[in-house]
Amino acid sequence: PVGVPLRYRVTTRRIGRDGKLIDFALVYALEWQRTGRGYRLDAVLQRIDSGAQPGVTRMLTMMLAPLVGEEVAYLVPADGSRIDLVDPGQLWERVTARMEKAGGEADRPEARQLARLIAALPAAERDRLATADIRALIAPANDAIPAAKASDDVDISIRHDGAQRTIAKVERACAPIAGKAQPLEIDNLWTVDTDTGLVLRERRQSWIVESGGEGRRLIEERVRALEPAP
């Protein structure tokens, strides 16, 4: 969708320390342009929405707030196989400088520490963190989307409906929760526009399987949704 303003919303809900679900969302403005043999994507994190108390999402907000309003450009080849940040060095200099400034003005040493931590990360790791939501948006670059069944612990189904392909994947695992190993089921669902290769919607839900397998309890959900800008 070259030249069409888009909105991309990434919403996460997870169980907090008090046992209640907390939620927060990142809202991006996106626009694609043709360049050379591929595409350029201009993305701006417009805002961070949250229904939780400020203290609950403080570290997340502290980390992402310097990116709000910052235009980040990505280059994507025609086959969508990879995503490259445009001038990542300049981007991280601006972001860490904002963090340092915010930490100094608000007398928040943790903000300055976070800025130094990000600056100390290998460049590839910083870029991987910065491009995570965009990589998830482009189906060929999204390593999480399966092409076929990979193991006995994973169930996969693929359905085609006109110009859309829906991929469902259920994973089974164990994870340490509240001090003990608990069985998990992770439901993944992707809806891909086969004309553009973009992921229109992604939902990932992590469930604790109750004793005896008689029920499940949601502990985390993430939804990524792409739509025309309002």
Side-chain angles (χ1 to χ4, degrees), residues 10-71:
V10 181
T11 304
T12 301
R13 296 192 302 149
R14 63 167 59 115
I15 293 288
R17 292 180 180 177
D18 60 358
K20 296 180 180 179
L21 282 171
I22 59 175
D23 67 280
F24 55 89
L26 311 179
V27 182
Y28 297 87
L30 307 180
E31 189 162 338
W32 291 90
Q33 305 294 338
R34 288 192 181 276
T35 178
R37 297 183 179 180
Y39 300 90
R40 173 186 169 116
L41 174 62
D42 294 319
V44 178
L45 176 57
Q46 293 182 309
R47 65 182 189 272
I48 304 168
D49 294 338
S50 178
Q53 293 294 322
V56 175
T57 56
R58 183 180 180 187
M59 288 303 295
L60 173 77
T61 302
M62 193 183 304
M63 182 171 64
L64 294 175
L67 285 169
V68 173
E70 183 79 32
E71 184 171 289

Side-chain angles (χ1 to χ4, degrees), residues 106-195:
D107 193 23
R108 293 187 300 178
E110 66 268 37
R112 294 193 294 272
Q113 292 169 3
L114 185 59
R116 293 176 189 131
L117 177 64
I118 290 175
L121 285 173
E125 180 66 11
R126 287 200 308 264
D127 294 354
R128 186 188 68 80
L129 292 171
T131 60
D133 283 334
I134 302 302
R135 276 187 285 112
L137 173 66
I138 302 170
N142 188 333
D143 294 336
I145 299 178
K149 187 173 176 65
S151 72
D152 291 339
D153 293 328
V154 178
D155 293 331
I156 294 170
S157 65
I158 300 174
R159 180 170 56 85
H160 295 268
D161 183 9
Q164 292 189 2
R165 182 171 74 252
T166 302
I167 305 103
K169 179 172 76 170
V170 179
E171 305 169 79
R172 297 173 183 85
C174 283
I177 298 172
K180 64 177 181 179
Q182 303 239 27
L184 291 181
E185 287 187 352
I186 303 168
D187 297 341
N188 302 272
L189 188 67
W190 296 271
T191 301
V192 179
D193 183 322
T194 55
D195 289 338

